[in-house]
Amino acid sequence: MANKVGRLVPSFVENLGEFEPFAGVFATPPTGRRYAPPLCKPAAGGKKLLSSLRQAILASGLQSGMTISFHHHFRNGDLLVNMVVDEIAALGLRDITLAPSSLQSIHQALIPHIRSGVITAITTSGLRGELAEVLTRESLLKSPVLIRSHGGRARAIESGELKIDVAFLGASAADIYGNMNGIHGPAACGSLGYAMVDAQYADCVVGVTDNIVPYPALPISIPQTQVDFVVQVDKVGDPKGIMTGATRLTRDPLELYIAAQATRVIEASGYFCEGFSFQAGTGGASLAVAKFLKEKMAATGLRGGFSTGGSTGYICEMLKEGYFSAILDTQCFDLAAVESLRTNPRHVEMSASYYANPHAKACTAHITDIMMLAATEIDTAFNVNVLTGSDGIMMGASGGHSDTAAGTKLRLVTAPLIRGRFPIVVDSVHTVITPGECIDVLVTERGIAVNPTQPTLRERLHEAGIATVSIEELQWRAEKLTGKPEPLAQGDELVALVEYRDGTLIDVVRRVL
């Protein structure tokens, strides 16, 4: 059946069940109640420290056919997922569903466990590297990978749609009763925002750390009331791996030009005003926009309210200098952000539900004024792809893209018009992650296009002397240099389903031949 963005999506998938088609950004109302984990009898004396991951797996009651979860705050420095799955395989368990908040290149070590049937299903926000390529080219799982946004994953966990049997949650500091945080210790990774939902709703929670500290482990990000067992390992993560991707200001002239144009758009939009809230994201151009906005703020005396989403050192520096009043943080993207979270009381953690759950009673993603968005592709209906590349291979993540775009007042995509030899603007993106109805403007080095649904914004830009063109004009300008892309060689087989944040299906990924 065709959904609101014209994609053919299945109504039923074996091993995953029934799905509703995407019907619009806020068109599908929630039903049901929150899931509740079982009551438990605590161990005598409340001590939970076990001697090994194997002992913790056995104590958790994990069986073949169950679901395990992890967070991705160590990003490409994560060591825990591979360690736990190695141990599960050694114990002879099979048919495990893997439900991390995201997967990185380092998790290519899972491929043998997928081929051998230890892992037979995956739900995640994204995949990268060799693991992503293998799962796009081969049908190794019993069901397609289920892609959820950060807010959509929190919604699915809270509703019981994603039932986690055992959550293995890494922390850089923990005490023997299960209080944990990510800001102290040799493997400090910062905010544990994505882990908080798992800790609250998983049937069993195993805290894993390489740094046992005296009770209580302050500050408490995940409390002892939610943790069943604690395991100390030699090394839970490599903090250098947190800095995956660009988290420094760009020196690339093209990115700087795009950032300067985006800053002009923000300044003219009507939303750049006292107390504005902002999500910058990562990437050279996004951080350059933050730099240019800071210069405008310094010149005018204007000050922002909160910054949200993940945090980088540059945004933390703006907080320290008083340009923002607070950072609400689900994820630290570099070690400077970890240090800020550790030392600045105005920099606080928030859970993925607080950040972006569409069915929470409030979420930050719905009250943000300005956000910067990336794109691997954007089509002439302004639908955005951030999951698959121009070759159709999965290489990114849904992340909080569609979550924040749904509720933010100004949704601004920055991208070079041509990446490699491929145009960014296409007839139809390979994979829709964020629907065009919640994208306002695309800024490239060869022109700016405003969504026709936003005539007031276009008028404001024109009044400020900012020229705009249609997105079809941008497509023509790109294809004049690159030619029209050839269709991909894809099979009919589905290798991934893309849920919109409300649980409806917005798109599918087909196997690349």
Side-chain angles (χ1 to χ4, degrees):
M1 55 186 169
N3 63 18
K4 178 76 179 299
V5 291
R7 298 303 169 111
L8 294 176
V9 296
S11 58
F12 177 83
V13 177
E14 190 171 357
N15 298 315
L16 293 177
E18 296 182 348
F19 291 93
E20 295 291 328
F22 171 69
V25 173
F26 291 108
T28 303
T31 59
R33 306 182 72 85
R34 285 190 174 86
Y35 177 78
L39 296 173
C40 66
K41 181 181 178 181
K47 294 182 180 178
K48 305 168 181 176
L49 188 61
L50 301 178
S51 61
S52 68
L53 282 175
R54 172 168 291 211
Q55 194 177 19
I57 293 168
L58 294 172
S60 73
L62 184 69
Q63 302 290 320
S64 294
M66 286 187 170
T67 297
I68 60 175
S69 78
F70 303 85
H71 66 70
H72 71 287
H73 292 290
F74 293 107
R75 293 163 65 80
N76 214 37
D78 178 76
L79 303 177
L80 184 58
V81 174
N82 295 341
M83 284 195 294
V84 170
V85 176
D86 283 348
E87 204 61 59
I88 286 172
L91 286 167
L93 301 179
R94 294 291 184 270
D95 193 23
I96 296 295
T97 294
L98 189 64
S101 51
S102 198
L103 290 168
Q104 311 291 328
S105 299
I106 195 171
H107 299 125
Q108 66 181 19
L110 297 174
I111 294 172
H113 295 309
I114 294 171
R115 293 191 187 280
S116 68
V118 175
I119 297 169
T120 56
I122 295 176
T123 174
T124 176
S125 172
L127 308 98
R128 298 168 178 83
E130 185 180 349
L131 174 64
E133 178 156 3
V134 165
L135 292 177
T136 312
R137 294 190 183 278
E138 303 180 49
S139 297
L140 298 178
L141 301 168
K142 68 180 182 182
S143 56
V145 176
L146 188 53
I147 301 292
R148 290 186 168 108
S149 70
H150 290 326
R153 180 178 186 271
R155 174 203 58 75
I157 293 172
E158 289 194 4
S159 69
E161 185 180 307
L162 172 54
K163 179 181 176 299
I164 299 169
D165 294 299
V166 186
F168 295 90
L169 304 180
S172 63
D175 61 48
I176 60 173
Y177 299 98
N179 298 297
M180 302 191 294
N181 67 61
I183 64 170
H184 294 300
C189 60
S191 172
L192 296 181
Y194 297 119
M196 291 175 178
V197 183
D198 301 47
Q200 189 173 356
Y201 291 96
D203 282 4
C204 181
V205 176
V206 178
V208 184
T209 187
D210 53 11
N211 181 36
I212 294 289
V213 299
Y215 182 87
L218 298 176
I220 297 172
S221 300
I222 293 175
Q224 61 189 26
T225 53
Q226 298 173 348
V227 178
D228 294 272
F229 306 107
V230 177
V231 177
Q232 185 171 16
V233 296
D234 292 338
K235 191 173 183 180
V236 70
D238 180 357
K240 294 177 183 175
I242 295 172
M243 298 180 65
T244 301
T247 58
R248 294 188 177 89
L249 287 173
T250 183
R251 295 181 180 178
D252 183 290
L254 180 66
E255 289 190 330
L256 288 171
Y257 179 76
I258 294 172
Q261 293 296 92
T263 304
R264 292 182 67 205
V265 170
I266 292 172
E267 196 174 11
S269 68
Y271 299 112
F272 184 56
C273 52
E274 188 67 26
F276 79 100
S277 50
F278 183 55
Q279 179 167 331
T282 61
S286 292
L287 293 180
V289 170
K291 175 181 182 295
F292 293 146
L293 287 179
K294 177 183 171 181
E295 291 171 359
K296 301 287 182 186
M297 294 163 79
T300 61
L302 185 150
R303 292 295 180 266
F306 66 87
S307 174
T308 183
S311 63
T312 61
Y314 193 81
I315 293 297
C316 295
E317 186 179 307
M318 292 181 71
L319 171 70
K320 187 176 180 180
E321 294 172 355
Y323 289 97
F324 287 106
S325 63
I327 294 177
L328 304 175
D329 195 351
T330 50
Q331 178 177 203
C332 295
F333 288 116
D334 57 35
L335 299 183
V338 176
E339 177 63 18
S340 173
L341 182 62
R342 183 164 45 228
T343 58
N344 193 327
R346 306 293 302 176
H347 184 172
V348 296
E349 292 172 274
M350 63 175 170
S351 74
S353 187
Y354 190 106
Y355 167 45
N357 181 350
H359 296 165
K361 294 182 179 179
C363 71
T364 306
H366 290 177
I367 56 173
T368 302
D369 293 318
I370 300 168
M371 76 170 300
M372 307 292 298
L373 293 162
T376 58
E377 296 175 307
I378 181 169
D379 64 28
T380 52
F382 283 84
N383 298 309
V384 174
N385 174 20
V386 286
L387 179 67
T388 52
S390 54
D391 54 2
I393 301 293
M394 291 187 281
M395 45 71 74
S398 174
H401 202 281
S402 63
D403 295 314
T404 319
T408 299
K409 293 172 183 171
L410 177 65
R411 294 74 56 100
L412 189 151
V413 173
T414 58
L417 194 58
I418 298 167
R419 186 175 283 130
R421 51 191 173 83
F422 295 97
I424 293 297
V425 182
V426 294
D427 289 329
S428 179
V429 293
H430 291 121
T431 311
V432 179
I433 296 297
T434 298
E437 66 178 284
C438 49
I439 297 298
D440 298 317
V441 57
L442 167 65
V443 178
T444 76
E445 79 282 14
R446 295 175 186 267
I448 297 168
V450 177
N451 193 324
T453 62
Q454 302 296 331
T456 302
L457 175 62
R458 185 171 54 212
E459 188 175 326
R460 287 174 180 170
L461 300 191
H462 288 176
E463 287 173 354
I466 300 173
T468 64
V469 297
S470 70
I471 197 165
E472 289 82 4
E473 171 68 19
L474 288 182
Q475 181 187 21
W476 179 83
R477 291 177 182 180
E479 290 180 354
K480 189 177 177 183
L481 299 171
T482 65
K484 210 164 188 67
E486 295 292 330
L488 287 177
Q490 291 179 299
D492 294 331
E493 204 168 354
L494 303 183
V495 294
L497 306 177
V498 182
E499 268 193 7
Y500 190 61
R501 58 199 300 260
D502 62 5
T504 60
L505 274 191
I506 193 166
D507 211 343
V508 300
V509 179
R510 298 184 186 279
R511 188 163 76 90
V512 173
L513 301 176

